[in-house]
Amino acid sequence: MNSAMFFDFTVDSDSATVRVQRQFNAPSQLVWKAWTTAELLDQWWAPRPYQTKSKEMDFRSGGFWLYAMTGPEGDTHWCRADYSNVTPETAYVAVDAFCDESGDNIIRDFGRSTWNVSFDSNGDQTMVNIVISYESAEQMLKFIELGFKEGFTIALTNLDEYFEALGS
């Protein structure tokens, strides 16, 4: 990761939210595409050594993304993100959850989280602002204890490497 890129990860137990701000050294059109295109998400979304494999994606309000994160031991975790409020190249909302391979059955033990993601352009750099709202502080803390911050940080670094490989 370029050490000059801004990164902030804030946990607020009172509101059961995690706020993430992350700057990327790439124009907003490219960053938007990396966050909203299955083929590109598959290249960076999972923290290594895990890999993401999209099964289905329909990025639009009312659409969803069904994907698996598979670890080096072959363990597979299915997830579904339901999209709403998509404003092209500006923002979207996704309700995310672990699920079965069909995507029809949400695993309730982990609940669902709502991701409000927005993109602010600043020339050849883009700030991504993420507010993740959980159903409860207990649910949020469960994800934090499972290593969400560390895993998401690795994934965002994967995206830096993708942009660097493009020479952006």
Side-chain angles (χ1 to χ4, degrees), residues 14-140:
D14 291 338
S15 63
T17 59
V18 171
R19 295 178 186 277
V20 180
Q21 284 189 297
R22 181 60 155 72
Q23 185 178 35
F24 292 97
N25 194 21
S28 62
Q29 299 88 351
L30 187 57
V31 176
W32 172 265
K33 188 174 179 182
W35 282 75
T36 61
T37 306
E39 296 79 19
L40 299 182
L41 283 161
D42 285 354
Q43 296 181 47
W44 69 269
W45 185 254
R48 292 186 186 118
Y50 280 78
Q51 294 184 336
T52 302
K53 187 168 189 168
S54 294
K55 183 174 183 180
E56 188 173 349
M57 185 176 201
D58 180 11
F59 185 77
R60 61 177 175 83
S61 292
F64 68 93
W65 178 34
L66 176 61
Y67 63 97
M69 288 197 282
T70 303
E73 305 299 321
D75 53 313
T76 299
H77 308 277
W78 287 93
C79 301
R80 178 182 171 124
D82 293 295
Y83 296 113
S84 63
N85 302 323
V86 174
T87 304
E89 299 190 15
T90 302
Y92 68 87
V93 175
V95 178
D96 191 68
F98 287 109
C99 62
D100 66 4
E101 186 175 353
S102 73
D104 294 331
N105 300 301
I106 301 301
I107 298 173
R108 298 286 172 202
D109 292 350
F110 289 95
R112 302 190 88 176
S113 57
T114 302
W115 292 52
N116 286 280
V117 183
S118 64
F119 302 78
D120 293 327
S121 176
N122 185 15
D124 288 337
Q125 295 184 336
T126 303
M127 181 70 77
V128 179
N129 304 289
I130 308 158
V131 178
I132 308 166
S133 302
Y134 294 87
E135 295 170 348
S136 68
E138 293 76 22
Q139 177 199 14
M140 177 189 69

